[in-house]
Amino acid sequence: MKKFLKGLIFTIVILILLSLLGVVIYLTYVQSNSEVAKDYLVEKYEINKKELWAISFTEYVYEDITDCSSLWFKKCTDQPDLVYKYTFKFKNNKDINVYEDKDGNLTDDYEENK
């Protein structure tokens, strides 16, 4: 019985560590893909880079081009020019969304969330 409990506790600890590793890998992926949008916000609004934390990164596909039911990691949109949406958490717990179009132009909703 003692051996079983040790094995169970060891398994639970390993699962927790693997979960934490997964979260860290995901957040690193989001941060690395959101660097251009973060630089855009820092340059445009003179925000301290450390006050922004990327929390999501979404890639969009125009719904007339593809079958939306078969997508796993991308989302469909009815806007033909929208390619990416980056969401940042700001120091005051406000979310700031930055949108990137096909031409690489960035827009945001920072003024609306002030």
Side-chain angles (χ1 to χ4, degrees):
M1 184 68 166
K2 204 174 192 184
K3 206 174 201 181
F4 173 74
L5 285 176
K6 282 183 181 181
L8 182 65
I9 292 172
F10 181 73
T11 303
I12 290 171
V13 168
I14 293 297
L15 288 176
I16 290 171
L17 290 175
L18 287 175
S19 298
L20 288 174
L21 180 65
V23 168
V24 167
I25 289 172
Y26 172 75
L27 289 176
T28 302
Y29 169 76
V30 169
Q31 285 290 101
S32 66
N33 282 317
S34 302
E35 278 300 312
V36 172
K38 184 184 273 190
D39 292 340
Y40 162 80
L41 289 173
V42 167
E43 183 178 317
K44 184 174 180 182
Y45 298 110
E46 298 178 1
I47 299 172
N48 185 352
K49 200 170 189 173
K50 294 179 183 177
E51 295 175 346
L52 289 172
W53 186 256
I55 56 172
S56 74
F57 161 76
T58 308
E59 186 173 355
Y60 287 95
V61 177
Y62 185 48
E63 64 188 6
D64 285 351
I65 297 174
T66 188
D67 178 21
C68 293
S69 63
S70 66
L71 298 177
W72 285 23
F73 299 108
K74 298 179 183 179
K75 291 189 177 180
C76 279
T77 182
D78 58 354
Q79 301 173 12
D81 291 334
L82 181 61
V83 179
Y84 298 110
K85 175 184 169 189
Y86 310 95
T87 304
F88 294 93
K89 187 68 81 176
F90 194 50
K91 67 177 178 180
N92 56 4
N93 279 337
K94 298 278 185 170
D95 288 347
I96 302 170
N97 296 312
V98 178
Y99 306 94
E100 185 175 348
D101 64 11
K102 286 181 181 177
D103 298 327
N105 300 321
L106 298 169
T107 56
D108 62 83
D109 63 358
Y110 178 68
E111 292 296 328
E112 300 166 11
N113 288 332
K114 260 186 161 178

